[in-house]
Amino acid sequence: AAGVIQSPRHLIKEKRETATLKCYPIPRHDTVYWYQQGPGQDPQFLISFYEKMQSDKGSIPDRFSAQQFSDYHSELNMSSLELGDSALYFCASSRYGDLETQYFGPGTRLLVL
Amino acid sequence: RKEVEQDPGPFNVPEGATVAFNCTYSNSASQSFFWYRQDCRKEPKLLMSVYSSGNEDGRFTAQLNRASQYISLLIRDSKLSDSATYLCVVLSLTTDSWGKLQFGAGTQVVVTP
């Protein structure tokens, strides 16, 4: 069965650079969530989208923005990267009628040097 | 204070033994509860949902106590492959929190031969 696809899987950036993470949800899933998991931490909710509209917002820094496109894929844009942004970034997807069942992608590991 | 609290462990369990651990949550309006499993550097994977009536999935038994706001997980006949971090996860569906998963910090389980 198709799963959530995230790209790139690994990313190395320098401080103050920008990064774009992409997420392709499971086919027919219309809701996308972004989570950040720092080293030794639990995943923290960043932001979610339903039908291309932001549906919920968590602890996402102002330096980050995200959107969902007409094909339901989502991109997380990160600017002015800081060392503390080094983390695993997971995307999850679900169907709006079944928000309880969220499927996680393999994550993008971002390292900021 | 975190909304979902867990004993981080590690719980060192001999193969074949039973291990149980729980978590507590602070938001009494929380509606759905889950145990996820996370292997090192991988994405969280849904292990099972948790219901007030208690539910079982093979060697895994989960229980929810709404009055005391705690959730438990019991693993019987532990296998080496059960070694992982078990994340207690809570979902609230309110106008302020639509679909975002709240994770505990995870309980590490190490099954030894």
Side-chain angles (χ1 to χ4, degrees), chain B residues 1-2 11-13 21 23-24 27 32 34 38 41 43 46 50 56-58 60-61 71-72 86 93 95 98 105 113:
Chain B
R1 181 171 176 249
K2 282 182 67 67
F11 284 68
N12 295 297
V13 187
F21 43 90
C23 80
T24 57
N27 185 355
S32 301
F34 313 91
Q38 187 172 30
R41 302 165 77 87
E43 73 273 25
L46 178 64
V50 189
E56 205 173 290
D57 184 0
F60 298 83
T61 301
I71 305 148
S72 64
Y86 291 84
L93 295 173
T95 52
W98 192 255

Side-chain angles (χ1 to χ4, degrees), chain A residues 33 35 37 40-45 48 55-58 88 90 96 99-102 104-107 109, chain B residues 2 31-32 34 36 38 41-46 49 51 87 91 93 96-101 103-106:
Chain A
Y33 313 80
Y35 294 86
Q37 186 172 27
Q41 305 289 315
D42 51 288
Q44 294 290 318
F45 172 75
S48 61
S55 55
D56 201 355
K57 193 172 181 180
L88 259 173
F90 291 110
Y96 189 75
L99 295 177
E100 296 189 358
T101 308
Q102 297 183 22
F104 281 75
R109 185 171 294 278
Chain B
K2 282 182 67 67
Q31 290 151 298
S32 301
F34 313 91
Y36 275 71
Q38 187 172 30
R41 302 165 77 87
K42 299 279 185 69
E43 73 273 25
K45 290 187 177 174
L46 178 64
S49 301
Y51 306 111
L87 299 164
L91 173 69
L93 295 173
D96 296 327
S97 175
W98 192 255
K100 74 176 183 188
L101 298 178
F103 287 83

Side-chain angles (χ1 to χ4, degrees), chain A:
Chain A
V4 177
I5 297 171
Q6 290 187 247
S7 69
R9 295 291 309 278
H10 300 88
L11 192 56
I12 299 176
K13 290 285 184 178
E14 304 255 332
K15 276 193 329 183
R16 292 180 289 278
E17 284 191 319
T18 61
T20 296
L21 278 51
K22 297 185 179 182
C23 169
Y24 297 87
I26 291 171
R28 292 184 297 281
H29 280 194
D30 47 22
T31 307
V32 169
Y33 313 80
W34 286 96
Y35 294 86
Q36 177 193 56
Q37 186 172 27
Q41 305 289 315
D42 51 288
Q44 294 290 318
F45 172 75
L46 292 178
I47 195 166
S48 61
F49 293 89
Y50 165 63
E51 282 291 345
K52 302 173 284 292
M53 299 285 289
Q54 181 183 305
S55 55
D56 201 355
K57 193 172 181 180
S59 50
I60 183 169
D62 292 340
R63 299 177 290 108
F64 294 6
S65 65
Q67 57 183 322
Q68 186 180 32
F69 295 86
S70 57
D71 64 350
Y72 297 109
H73 95 270
S74 178
E75 294 184 5
L76 178 65
N77 299 293
M78 311 160 72
S79 62
S80 303
L81 286 168
E82 301 174 355
L83 297 179
D85 296 329
S86 296
L88 259 173
Y89 290 84
F90 291 110
C91 171
S93 76
S94 71
R95 273 192 283 225
Y96 189 75
D98 186 15
L99 295 177
E100 296 189 358
T101 308
Q102 297 183 22
Y103 296 87
F104 281 75
T108 293
R109 185 171 294 278
L110 172 66
L111 178 61
V112 181
L113 301 175

Side-chain angles (χ1 to χ4, degrees), chain B residues 6-14 18-22 73 75 78 82-84 86 106-112:
Chain B
Q6 284 184 256
D7 181 344
F11 284 68
N12 295 297
V13 187
T18 296
V19 61
F21 43 90
N22 54 36
L73 181 67
I75 308 175
S78 298
D82 294 334
S83 297
Y86 291 84
T107 296
Q108 187 183 6
V109 172
V110 179
V111 182
T112 55

